[in-house]
Amino acid sequence: MALRTMLTRKIVGSGLGIGLLQSRSLQTVALPDLAYDYGSLEPVISGEIMQLHHQKHHQSYVTNYNKALEQLSDAIVKGDASTVVKLQAAIKFNGGGHINHSIFWKNLAPVSVGGGEPPKDSLGWAIDLHFGSVEALIQKINNEGAALQGSGWVWLGVDKELKKLVVETTANQDPLVTKGLSLVPLLGIDVWEHAYYLQYKNVKPDYLKNIWKVVDWKYASHVYEKEFPKS
Amino acid sequence: MQIFLHLKNGILNESFISSFKCSVQMKCISRRTELGWDIRIKCSSLPHLQKVEHYGLRRAPKVVAYYGLKRPPYKLDALEPYMSQKTLEMHWGEHHRGYVEVLNKHLGKNDILYGYTMDELVKVTYNNGNPLPEFNDAAQVYNHDFFWESMQPGGGDSPKLGLLRQLEKDFGSFTNFKENFIEAAITLFGSGWVWLVLKRKEKRLAVVKTSNAVSPIVWDDIPIICLDLWEHAYYLDYKNDRGKYANVFMNHLVSWHAATARICRAQSFVNLGEPKIPVA
């Protein structure tokens, strides 16, 4: 079965319902493609997990978000305030799930294309300034991730206004902005059990230790430099 | 020095107590709680156990008993093929055991929480919505104990007699209740639990969703059955298919015997009205 997942190509996003909805000028979301094969992050993250994570979990967030969006637009048009408010939880959860996972796929890269290479340039200096070293930052993120109860995410973000790096956790699928409106996510690590259970079982610390081997610091640097362009 | 021995529905071992080589004053407090008997024994006037090495005295065994890992009431492979042995080995052997060990470690550092029964500990550490750090582990131990006992090999089917009548009264029909329960399981966001509870104030059954480690006993309701919806409970068997897991639970795993026993006990605390005695 592992062989089959490694040979499986990435799936194009589902276009179901987009035609119908666009006639009402409602912008729905679609499942983004991965820039790499499901099996290319082995042995850090198994191809089976990547496939399930992308094709089932992320897809269900996309589907449910689109559904909730359609119900929301109906309720807004009808002026049904109580339904609008009731749908907020579903939108936050599924929309957050879509946003977070979209960032997550870009945060990972196979070793062959630079996954795991430590950060350089402005992000590297900022990390050394705020945390002392990349190792210290990794240690901090891993500790926060391991201590998180239940489902959630652990983030490396940058505060746009205060111009400093922060390590934050969010519960369930809450995006980083729920912890601060000026926070921009650079790196997110999914610590929901579905992200590691089939491979690491309950040993979350091992997952956190190993994932750094496939983290794409280049993408994080890219986001950081967009926020704080080099003068 | 005081050491509390706490036993939850356990058997007191006489020789264990007499192994303390000192004069021991024992005060035995036994109390009936909703989920069974609780026996607390307070031993006082024990010798100092800390610094005795250089006096050549034989150290009395430093025995402290907190909470133990309760076995499920069936073998770990008894729930196949609906819940695999692998899942039970991981879920009970690693997750549940881990919670017990962390809880005992917490209690070892701070004796302010000694002497509670499991459900009292959960309520106290919940601290009315501002949970203490021990809450997560205490509550998860309680929840998992409850969960194993809510299932049985050859479970499912439907409840009978009084429980069935009460379910029909509060949900319309048993099928309606089942749909309600499964719907709650599917729509729960993140990790948590789904419960069938007897609400004390409303005097009726209801389906309740809770997040992470919370359980309805913190709101003083009486749980009847529960379903673990943390991903570790079903991921190995059903991957992401929560709906299938919930269906299988309802149709093949849930123990209505346990549920009936619990609602019978609950009725001594909540008045569910007069029984319907048919008129001749």
Side-chain angles (χ1 to χ4, degrees):
Chain A
M1 195 198 169
L3 195 61
R4 199 170 70 215
T5 54
M6 281 204 270
L7 295 170
T8 308
R9 300 292 303 166
K10 40 202 181 322
I11 293 279
V12 179
S14 153
L16 290 166
I18 282 185
L20 266 165
L21 291 168
Q22 278 180 347
S23 65
R24 262 187 268 181
S25 67
L26 185 67
Q27 272 289 9
T28 53
V29 298
L31 185 68
D33 290 339
L34 299 186
Y36 40 84
D37 289 340
Y38 290 131
S40 54
L41 299 181
E42 300 251 6
V44 174
I45 303 180
S46 71
E48 192 190 4
I49 289 185
M50 288 304 291
Q51 185 174 7
L52 276 167
H53 206 170
H54 185 243
Q55 284 181 359
K56 299 273 181 222
H57 291 274
H58 192 173
Q59 179 65 69
S60 85
Y61 292 130
V62 166
T63 315
N64 292 332
Y65 174 66
N66 288 339
K67 209 164 40 173
L69 212 58
E70 192 189 341
Q71 290 171 335
L72 181 69
S73 93
D74 271 344
I76 290 175
V77 161
K78 288 200 200 109
D80 185 353
S82 64
T83 308
V84 169
V85 174
K86 217 168 36 166
L87 286 167
Q88 295 309 312
I91 291 195
K92 182 180 187 193
F93 181 68
N94 292 299
H98 169 64
I99 294 168
N100 295 342
H101 283 89
S102 302
I103 298 173
F104 187 51
W105 306 134
K106 296 203 209 110
N107 283 149
L108 300 174
V111 178
S112 55
V113 294
E117 271 171 27
K120 306 179 184 64
D121 291 343
S122 53
L123 180 60
W125 298 333
I127 288 176
D128 286 342
L129 181 66
H130 287 116
F131 301 101
S133 66
V134 180
E135 287 74 33
L137 169 65
I138 289 177
Q139 196 54 51
K140 180 157 198 230
I141 292 182
N142 288 354
N143 289 341
E144 299 265 332
L148 195 148
Q149 310 283 11
S151 307
W153 290 74
V154 58
W155 300 94
L156 170 66
V158 61
D159 191 321
K160 271 192 296 203
E161 279 157 32
L162 299 177
K163 289 200 174 53
K164 59 187 284 252
L165 293 173
V166 293
V167 169
E168 275 290 352
T169 55
T170 55
N172 293 349
Q173 292 296 355
D174 295 351
L176 185 58
V177 287
T178 55
K179 279 288 169 98
L181 292 169
S182 56
L183 293 178
V184 175
L186 301 174
L187 261 186
I189 299 187
D190 191 352
V191 285
W192 279 63
E193 284 171 327
H194 65 235
Y196 61 88
Y197 206 75
L198 291 176
Q199 190 178 349
Y200 293 92
K201 304 293 187 304
N202 69 319
V203 195
K204 193 162 49 165
D206 278 357
Y207 161 70
L208 288 168
K209 205 169 56 167
N210 284 329
I211 199 171
W212 295 100
K213 299 183 190 151
V214 289
V215 156
D216 190 3
W217 283 105
K218 287 204 290 267
Y219 172 74
S221 289
H222 172 73
V223 177
Y224 184 77
E225 274 152 30
K226 228 172 32 165
E227 286 301 320
F228 304 112
K230 287 187 267 212
S231 43
Chain B
M1 182 172 191
Q2 289 186 329
I3 295 177
F4 288 86
L5 290 173
H6 165 82
L7 300 143
K8 185 179 126 173
N9 299 332
I11 300 170
L12 186 54
N13 189 339
E14 296 296 333
S15 62
F16 166 73
I17 297 292
S18 64
S19 71
F20 282 107
K21 295 197 166 73
C22 57
S23 65
V24 173
Q25 283 175 331
M26 301 225 289
K27 198 157 80 171
C28 183
I29 315 157
S30 61
R31 201 186 323 154
R32 171 115 201 254
T33 64
E34 278 155 37
L35 295 173
W37 287 91
D38 161 59
I39 301 175
R40 274 185 254 170
I41 299 186
K42 207 159 141 181
C43 302
S44 50
S45 51
L46 285 164
H48 255 285
L49 297 177
Q50 271 103 348
K51 293 177 190 152
V52 289
E53 33 308 357
H54 49 288
Y55 295 150
L57 287 170
R58 197 146 43 109
R59 237 178 161 176
K62 189 175 182 179
V63 181
V64 278
Y66 307 132
Y67 299 94
L69 177 65
K70 227 168 151 190
R71 289 194 67 97
Y74 35 78
K75 286 214 172 93
L76 295 184
D77 61 354
L79 298 179
E80 296 264 12
Y82 308 110
M83 193 176 270
S84 64
Q85 179 178 8
K86 192 91 209 329
T87 299
L88 273 160
E89 281 171 0
M90 285 282 358
H91 199 177
W92 176 74
E94 302 284 336
H95 289 270
H96 190 178
R97 191 188 301 272
Y99 288 126
V100 172
E101 284 171 5
V102 174
L103 177 64
N104 286 339
K105 217 166 30 169
H106 274 307
L107 293 179
K109 291 188 213 144
N110 179 3
D111 66 0
I112 212 165
L113 290 171
Y114 281 8
Y116 288 109
T117 58
M118 188 52 76
D119 44 314
E120 279 178 354
L121 182 67
V122 172
K123 285 187 233 191
V124 161
T125 49
Y126 184 65
N127 204 9
N128 282 314
N130 219 344
L132 305 176
E134 296 86 351
F135 172 72
N136 189 66
D137 304 290
Q140 285 292 71
V141 174
Y142 175 87
N143 293 345
H144 281 91
D145 279 342
F146 199 87
F147 180 50
W148 304 130
E149 287 160 9
S150 300
M151 295 192 289
Q152 65 168 83
D157 198 19
S158 80
K160 312 270 188 301
L161 306 174
L163 178 55
L164 182 60
R165 265 205 292 274
Q166 188 67 36
L167 277 169
E168 284 170 349
K169 180 163 162 234
D170 292 327
F171 290 97
S173 70
F174 177 62
T175 322
N176 216 12
F177 153 71
K178 248 205 307 196
E179 277 171 15
N180 227 316
F181 194 89
I182 294 173
E183 173 76 25
I186 297 176
T187 56
L188 172 72
F189 293 147
S191 303
W193 302 74
V194 176
W195 306 79
L196 171 65
V197 287
L198 180 62
K199 285 199 171 267
R200 227 187 261 261
K201 295 203 193 80
E202 289 101 327
K203 296 196 181 29
R204 51 161 297 161
L205 291 171
V207 168
V208 163
K209 296 191 269 201
T210 60
S211 282
N212 291 357
V214 180
S215 107
I217 60 174
V218 303
W219 304 303
D220 225 20
D221 289 331
I222 304 173
I224 307 291
I225 54 171
C226 82
L227 176 59
D228 189 352
L229 287 166
W230 283 59
E231 283 174 325
H232 62 237
Y234 60 89
Y235 214 77
L236 291 176
D237 295 332
Y238 299 99
K239 306 290 188 303
N240 70 316
D241 202 342
R242 224 184 225 190
K244 189 155 167 226
Y245 166 61
N247 266 294
V248 161
F249 173 80
M250 261 297 140
N251 295 329
H252 300 285
L253 286 173
V254 67
S255 171
W256 289 115
H257 297 296
T260 310
R262 286 166 181 160
I263 200 167
C264 286
R265 188 180 273 132
Q267 284 188 297
S268 28
F269 300 92
V270 179
N271 185 356
L272 287 174
E274 294 298 319
K276 266 211 200 92
I277 301 173
V279 179

